[in-house]
């Protein structure tokens, strides 16, 4: 300012002194021209309008000045102009220029000037997109947030933005205090949340989650991160979900976190989640439940919550969940009968395979009521199979009608003989007696399966004989026999 006053209103304004000169001109109210020479404030404004012609190094110097004087009245205006110019160059470099450090003049008058360090970092295609990462590490988390918002506004590639944020977080964490780490990671989460989630990979989000485990970040940022992960949960793996439980929790893995992620997945997809995505998540959950089932400290309420958080339509088969429940009951043999019944409520017996139903009926770890329900479900399936057996009615008017009548009589006789205990069973009866009942029921079910197969084979033979031989009188005795 003194040089301006004692040098007839002339002075060199550069990116390194422009902001300070402007603040001084504002403070001294140097707004009027003297002796035909423009005042200092006008000169600073004119110099700022030529920001497009500044070198890359000049822009960085100006940003450092703005950061050091972040409370100055005019720093925000200059900061905005610096960000717009800087991001404009990055967008142009990523779209058109094969070498963003090349100093050339285009129609817009924008020129690039990078130091040798940046020039060396653009030898490969990957480095060509990230050559500027190291140069912007001096920015504070607040200014990085402003920069990223400008990048999003100017539609810079979101994948590149995400890589820059992770690079910034990793570089800054090496020497940062705990409070600074919280601010940095919260900024990284907030910026990812403002971007298009389709450009942020599930692996990246779980990586951020791992970083936050040892930090006490805000609930708002944590919720944003969990919502983002929930929207990508169908892409997750078992290793992603096996997050250690927080300090003070007895069980091995953080089941509460997985519950929140699953609820976020369901909230995100109310009426939108595709059946394929739902089945993928259900398969992942079944594998996760099998992994946490042997944990002796896992409470029954948490196990049941994980098992029932997804709707019934998410699973085509409950066999995997049955095996996980079986493992949990084997490890937690101290559970009361009431707790075992509650855990078994998470199973849909209609979606258990025949093998699983039979295994359950012999499994002493399961409550008696569950065994009965499994066998009733098995009986229902077999009855449905009998009802879908081809009818013999078309043969009534044929010479082979007596054979169809005999088969119907045999079927009716079988139906009368095979009776399963699907009524109310007194669960207070001694367990040993009940087990004998269940074994008898199992034998009847096995017999019924064999009879059904035999009937189907006989029906197939009758159908084939009617088509090919009913018109031949000599074959009638053999056919009817």
């Amino acid at each position: 300012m003194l040089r301006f006053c004692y040098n007839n209103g002339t002075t060199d304004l550069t990116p390194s002194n422009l902001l300070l000169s402007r603040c001084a001109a504002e403070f001294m109210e140097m707004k009027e021209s003297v002796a035909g020479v423009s005042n200092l404030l006008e000169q600073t404004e004119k110099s700022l309008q030529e920001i497009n012609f500044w070198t890359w190094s000049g822009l960085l110097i100006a940003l450092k000045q703005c950061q050091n004087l972040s409370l100055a009245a005019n720093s925000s205006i200059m900061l905005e102009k610096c960000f717009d110019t800087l991001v404009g160059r990055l967008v142009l470099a990523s779209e058109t220029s094969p070498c963003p450090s090349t100093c050339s003049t285009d129609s817009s008058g924008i020129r690039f000037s990078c130091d040798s360090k940046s020039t060396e970092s653009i030898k490969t295609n990957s480095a060509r997109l990230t050559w500027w990462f190291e140069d912007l590490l001096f920015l504070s988390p607040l200014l990085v947030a402003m920069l990223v918002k400008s990048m999003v506004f100017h539609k810079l590639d979101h994948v590149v933005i995400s890589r820059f944020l992770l690079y910034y977080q990793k570089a800054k964490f090496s020497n940062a205090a705990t409070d600074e780490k919280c601010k940095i990671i919260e900024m990284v989460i907030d910026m990812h949340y403002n971007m298009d989630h389709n450009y942020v990979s599930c692996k990246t989000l779980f990586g951020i989650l791992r970083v936050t485990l040892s930090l006490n970040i805000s609930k708002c940022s944590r919720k944003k991160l969990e919502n983002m992960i929930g929207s990508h949960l169908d892409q997750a793996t078992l290793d992603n979900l096996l997050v250690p439980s927080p300090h003070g929790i007895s069980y091995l893995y953080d089941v509460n976190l997985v519950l929140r992620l699953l609820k976020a997945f369901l909230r995100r997809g109310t009426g939108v989640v595709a059946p394929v995505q739902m089945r993928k998540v259900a398969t992942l959950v079944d594998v996760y439940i099998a992994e946490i089932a042997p944990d002796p400290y896992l409470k029954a309420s948490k196990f049941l919550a994980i098992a029932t958080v997804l709707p019934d339509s998410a699973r085509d088969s409950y066999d995997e969940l049955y095996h996980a429940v079986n493992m949990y009951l084997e490890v937690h043999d101290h559970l009361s009968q009431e707790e075992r019944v509650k855990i078994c409520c998470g199973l849909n017996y209609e979606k258990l395979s025949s093998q699983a139903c039979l295994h359950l009926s012999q499994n002493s770890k399961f409550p008696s009521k569950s065994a009965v329900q499994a066998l009733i479900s098995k009986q229902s399936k077999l009855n449905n199979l009998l009802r879908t057996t081809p009818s013999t009615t078309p043969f009534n008017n044929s010479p082979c009608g007596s054979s169809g009548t005999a088969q119907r009589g045999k079927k009716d006789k079988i139906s009368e003989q095979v009776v399963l205990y699907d009524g109310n069973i007194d669960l207070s009866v001694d367990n040993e007696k009940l087990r004998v009942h269940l074994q008898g029921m199992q034998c009847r079910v096995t017999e019924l399966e064999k009879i059904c197969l035999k009937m189907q084979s006989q029906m197939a033979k009758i159908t084939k004989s009617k088509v090919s031989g009913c018109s031949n009188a000599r074959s009638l005795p053999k056919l009817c026999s």
Side-chain angles (χ1 to χ4, degrees):
M1 184 184 67
L2 291 174
R3 188 180 295 112
F4 173 84
C5 293
Y6 289 95
N7 198 26
N8 297 323
T10 58
T11 185
D12 291 332
L13 294 176
T14 64
S16 60
N17 65 23
L18 179 61
L19 180 59
L20 293 173
S21 299
R22 185 177 180 84
C23 291
E26 286 282 354
F27 181 75
M28 298 300 295
E29 298 182 356
M30 302 173 68
K31 302 177 181 180
E32 297 180 0
S33 301
V34 179
V37 179
S38 59
N39 60 65
L40 182 59
L41 186 62
E42 290 178 352
Q43 291 190 26
T44 59
E45 290 178 350
K46 182 178 179 181
S47 180
L48 188 59
Q49 291 174 358
E50 298 176 351
I51 192 173
N52 286 339
F53 298 96
W54 291 6
T55 64
W56 177 262
S57 299
L59 280 174
L60 299 182
I61 292 173
L63 284 174
K64 290 179 181 178
Q65 288 287 333
C66 292
Q67 181 168 260
N68 295 335
L69 297 174
S70 58
L71 298 180
N74 294 289
S75 63
S76 60
I77 299 176
M78 185 171 177
L79 185 63
E80 183 179 353
K81 288 184 174 294
C82 286
F83 279 155
D84 288 342
T85 304
L86 184 146
V87 174
R89 295 187 182 186
L90 295 180
V91 172
L92 183 62
S94 64
E95 292 179 351
T96 60
S97 176
C99 179
S101 64
T102 301
C103 298
S104 60
T105 304
D106 58 14
S107 59
S108 62
I110 297 179
R111 292 185 296 181
F112 295 91
S113 177
C114 303
D115 55 21
S116 59
K117 177 177 63 176
S118 295
T119 304
E120 289 295 326
S121 66
I122 59 174
K123 293 181 179 180
T124 63
N125 184 54
S126 176
R128 186 167 62 85
L129 298 175
T130 62
W131 59 270
W132 48 274
F133 284 10
E134 185 73 23
D135 295 340
L136 299 180
L137 290 181
F138 70 88
L139 294 175
S140 66
L142 178 61
L143 292 191
V144 170
M146 296 176 62
L147 174 64
V148 170
K149 290 178 181 178
S150 180
M151 290 177 173
V152 173
F153 177 78
H154 287 85
K155 299 182 179 180
L156 185 66
D157 187 356
H158 287 200
V159 175
V160 177
I161 298 176
S162 177
R163 291 177 62 184
F164 167 67
L165 288 170
L166 297 178
Y167 183 89
Y168 178 86
Q169 173 257 314
K170 184 177 180 180
K172 285 292 188 178
F173 263 38
S174 57
N175 299 319
T178 302
D179 292 342
E180 293 174 327
K181 290 181 179 179
C182 288
K183 292 180 180 179
I184 292 172
I185 200 65
E186 286 175 359
M187 180 274 296
V188 171
I189 293 172
D190 291 343
M191 293 302 101
H192 276 95
Y193 191 76
N194 292 332
M195 294 190 295
D196 189 341
H197 297 176
N198 293 326
Y199 290 93
V200 185
S201 68
C202 184
K203 181 180 179 181
T204 296
L205 295 174
F206 274 103
I208 297 174
L209 177 64
R210 296 277 179 176
V211 174
T212 64
L213 296 180
S214 59
L215 300 175
N216 186 24
I217 65 173
S218 66
K219 292 183 178 179
C220 180
S221 295
R222 190 174 297 280
K223 186 175 181 180
K224 288 180 179 179
L225 178 59
E226 291 174 358
N227 286 337
M228 285 190 289
I229 294 176
S231 65
H232 292 78
L233 201 58
D234 58 303
Q235 305 170 16
T237 63
L238 177 61
D239 290 338
N240 296 144
L241 297 185
L242 294 179
V243 178
S245 61
H247 180 72
I249 303 298
S250 57
Y251 40 86
L252 187 59
Y253 297 112
D254 195 347
V255 179
N256 290 326
L257 170 64
V258 177
L259 275 172
R260 293 196 299 269
L261 295 180
L262 289 170
K263 291 177 181 178
F265 169 76
L266 295 174
R267 283 199 305 269
R268 157 253 182 184
T270 302
V272 177
V273 173
V276 175
Q277 292 177 313
M278 188 69 78
R279 283 193 291 269
K280 283 184 179 180
V281 174
T283 301
L284 177 63
V285 170
D286 288 346
V287 176
Y288 176 77
I289 294 176
E291 190 71 23
I292 66 174
D295 186 357
Y297 298 103
L298 182 61
K299 295 180 181 179
S301 59
K302 294 298 180 183
F303 182 86
L304 181 60
I306 287 287
T308 58
V309 65
L310 294 178
D312 179 71
S313 58
R315 293 181 176 92
D316 295 329
S317 172
Y318 272 71
D319 282 15
E320 295 299 326
L321 184 57
Y322 163 70
H323 293 309
V325 172
N326 181 44
M327 190 183 307
Y328 183 82
L329 295 179
E330 182 176 355
V331 174
H332 300 79
D333 54 359
H334 60 279
L335 294 177
S336 65
Q337 189 75 2
E338 181 181 358
E339 288 176 318
R340 291 172 182 268
V341 171
K342 286 183 179 179
I343 290 177
C344 292
C345 289
L347 295 173
N348 183 344
Y349 300 97
E350 296 293 332
K351 291 187 178 182
L352 286 177
S353 66
S354 300
Q355 293 80 2
C357 287
L358 294 177
H359 186 274
L360 194 158
S361 66
Q362 296 177 325
N363 197 334
S364 60
K365 295 185 291 291
F366 279 74
S368 303
K369 182 178 180 180
S370 297
V372 172
Q373 287 177 327
L375 286 174
I376 292 175
S377 174
K378 178 69 175 177
Q379 180 193 16
S380 176
K381 292 179 181 179
L382 292 175
N383 287 339
N384 292 335
L385 180 60
L386 283 175
R387 282 194 292 269
T388 57
T389 302
S391 174
T392 59
T393 303
F395 303 107
N396 287 343
N397 297 327
S398 70
C400 306
S402 58
S403 176
T405 305
Q407 291 294 337
R408 284 200 307 275
K410 188 174 181 181
K411 179 178 176 180
D412 294 339
K413 184 177 181 181
I414 293 170
S415 301
E416 292 175 0
Q417 290 177 347
V418 182
V419 179
L420 295 182
Y421 295 126
D422 57 355
N424 295 328
I425 293 180
D426 186 2
L427 296 180
S428 62
V429 179
D430 183 74
N431 287 337
E432 186 62 30
K433 294 181 179 180
L434 183 57
R435 190 173 294 109
V436 173
H437 281 294
L438 295 177
Q439 289 176 352
M441 293 161 68
Q442 178 191 349
C443 293
R444 294 185 180 93
V445 170
T446 304
E447 292 174 0
L448 183 57
E449 286 180 327
K450 294 180 180 179
I451 292 171
C452 285
L453 292 175
K454 187 176 181 181
M455 289 175 57
Q456 288 178 339
S457 177
Q458 291 175 345
M459 293 300 175
K461 291 180 180 179
I462 292 171
T463 304
K464 183 177 180 181
S465 299
K466 179 182 181 300
V467 173
S468 62
C470 283
S471 59
N472 191 343
R474 290 177 297 176
S475 64
L476 288 179
K478 183 179 179 181
L479 176 63
C480 293
S481 63

